[in-house]
Amino acid sequence: MNRLMILGSLDEFVELVNCAKRRGYYTVVCDGYPNGPAKKFADKAYTIDIREVDAIVEVCKQEKINGIIASFSDILFEYLTLIANKAGIKTYCTPEKMVYLRSKAKMKEMFRSLDIPVPASKVIRRGSLQEDMAELDFPILIKPVDGYGSRGIYIVESSEEIIEKFDEIAGYSNYPDQILAEEYNQGYEFNMANWIIDGEVCTLGLADREKTAENPKELPHISRVVYPSKLASKVYEEARSIIKKVADYTGIQTGPICMQFFWSEKSGIQVCECAGRLFGYEHELWTMGSGLSVEELLLDYVYDEGHMRKSLENYTPFYKKIVAGLYFHGDKGVIQDMSAVKRIANSPEVEDALIFYKEGDVIGTKPYVARFYISSDSYEKIDEITEKINNEMVIPDESGRNLVYHNEITRYPM
C-alpha cells in the first residue's frame, strides 16, 4: 500500500490530501499547525514543527511512509529535502544542492557561476556596512540572507536606513550579523513555474506579476498575476534557458523549479530568485488555464512517473484563455462588515474565491485578506473585471475606515 506523508496542512494542501485519498493512498499530514485544515481530511495527522527533522523521520518509520510531498513554500522545500534524505525517501534534490535554492547568498553564488543576470547585490555585514555597500547604487532592497515569506524586506535610500533596519531583518535569518542588499529593479516582474522532467524544462505557466505600493519604504504587495504574460514573447525563451542551467546545477532531474524575474528594454532579464517548489495560491490558475491538476502532478512524481510524463506531453504554457488571480491585503484593524467581499465572491465574473477573515477578526495574521480568480478570452476584459472588483472591494472597521489596501493595474507597452 502507498503510504504518503504530506508536509503542510494549510488551505492549499486540502485538495492535495483529498486527491491522495481518492487514489486510495494512506495519507499522513504533518506540520506545526494544530488546526491546519488539511489535517481533518487525512488518515492521520501529527502536530510537529517541520524543523524537527529527526522527530518527523521517526514518524515516517513508524507509519511505514514510502512517499513524501511538500510544496508551495521555500521552508517546506528545505525541510522536505532534509527529512526525505534522512528517511531514505525519494525527493527532488539533495541537501547539498538544496541550499542553492534556499539560501539567498548561495543562490547569488550559483547565478554568478552560471552567468545568469541578476540585480547587483552584496551580503552586508554588521561590522563593515559602508565598505560592503560601496559598489551598490540606491534605491536598494534589503532582506534576510535566508528568510522566507517576504518578511523583513524593505526598500531604502541611504546607509542610515540600513543601519536602522539591520537588527529586525537579521532577526528573520539564521545569520544575525548579515543581511542581503541588492539594487532595486523597477522593471516588469514575472512568475515562471516549471516542472523539470528527465532533465528538460516543461514550463507550466509564465505570468505577469503585478504589485501595488502602499508605503514607498516597504516592498510593494502582490496584487495580481496574469497568465499567460502579455510580454511572454520578449522573455520566454531566455527564461527557459536560465531554468535549464539551474536544473543542471542543482541536479534536479525531475521536480519543480519556479523563478521570479524582472525585464525591461534597457536591462533585459534580471533574475530575482529560483525556488524548488511551486507557487502557492497560484497553482489553481494553471489548472484553470490548462486543465492540468497540480495535485495529480505532485502525486504522480511520487508514485506514477509514467503517468506524469504522459500528462505533460504537448503541454503549453500559452493557455487558450487568460486567467488572473487578484490578491487583496489589508491594514491591521477589526473587521466590521464583510458583505462586499462575499458579494464579489458570488459574482458571475469570479470563478473561485478564498476569504481568509470574517466579521470581528483582526487583519494581520494571514497572508491575504481575500483572493479571487477570474478568466476571459481577452486581456481587455480581464482588466475590466479587475477594475470593477478593485473598486468594490471594501472592508470597513468600526469607524468606517476601509482596511483593504488599494490595488493598481500595471500598464504594459503596446
Side-chain angles (χ1 to χ4, degrees), residues 8-26:
S9 69
L10 298 182
D11 295 294
E12 64 266 43
F13 288 92
V14 170
E15 178 56 25
L16 181 59
V17 173
N18 287 333
C19 188
K21 294 283 291 177
R22 289 194 295 269
R23 287 187 173 202
Y25 303 159
Y26 180 83

Side-chain angles (χ1 to χ4, degrees), residues 51 126 143-148 151-152 154 165-179:
R51 290 167 289 195
R126 189 183 300 275
K143 53 189 175 181
V145 170
D146 61 348
Y148 66 95
R151 298 184 301 175
Y154 295 97
K165 295 290 186 183
F166 196 103
D167 287 342
E168 177 192 345
I169 295 169
Y172 290 109
S173 166
N174 292 317
Y175 299 88
D177 294 319
Q178 299 178 1
I179 64 172

Side-chain angles (χ1 to χ4, degrees), residues 307-322:
H307 187 265
M308 175 193 70
R309 292 179 178 86
K310 186 175 181 180
S311 70
L312 294 176
E313 284 179 358
N314 304 315
Y315 184 92
T316 176
F318 301 106
Y319 313 147
K320 292 182 180 179
K321 63 179 179 178
I322 316 302

Side-chain angles (χ1 to χ4, degrees), residues 4-71:
L4 176 69
M5 166 76 76
I6 295 177
L7 298 177
S9 69
L10 298 182
D11 295 294
E12 64 266 43
F13 288 92
V14 170
E15 178 56 25
L16 181 59
V17 173
N18 287 333
C19 188
K21 294 283 291 177
R22 289 194 295 269
R23 287 187 173 202
Y25 303 159
Y26 180 83
T27 305
V28 178
V29 172
C30 181
D31 66 6
Y33 297 101
N35 299 312
K39 287 182 174 177
K40 65 183 178 182
F41 298 100
D43 290 294
K44 200 163 185 179
Y46 289 83
T47 300
I48 305 173
D49 190 301
I50 60 165
R51 290 167 289 195
E52 295 184 34
V53 172
D54 290 339
I56 297 178
V57 169
E58 187 59 33
V59 170
C60 290
K61 292 177 182 177
Q62 292 173 5
E63 296 287 350
K64 297 181 173 58
I65 297 298
N66 54 25
I68 187 168
I69 292 177
S71 196

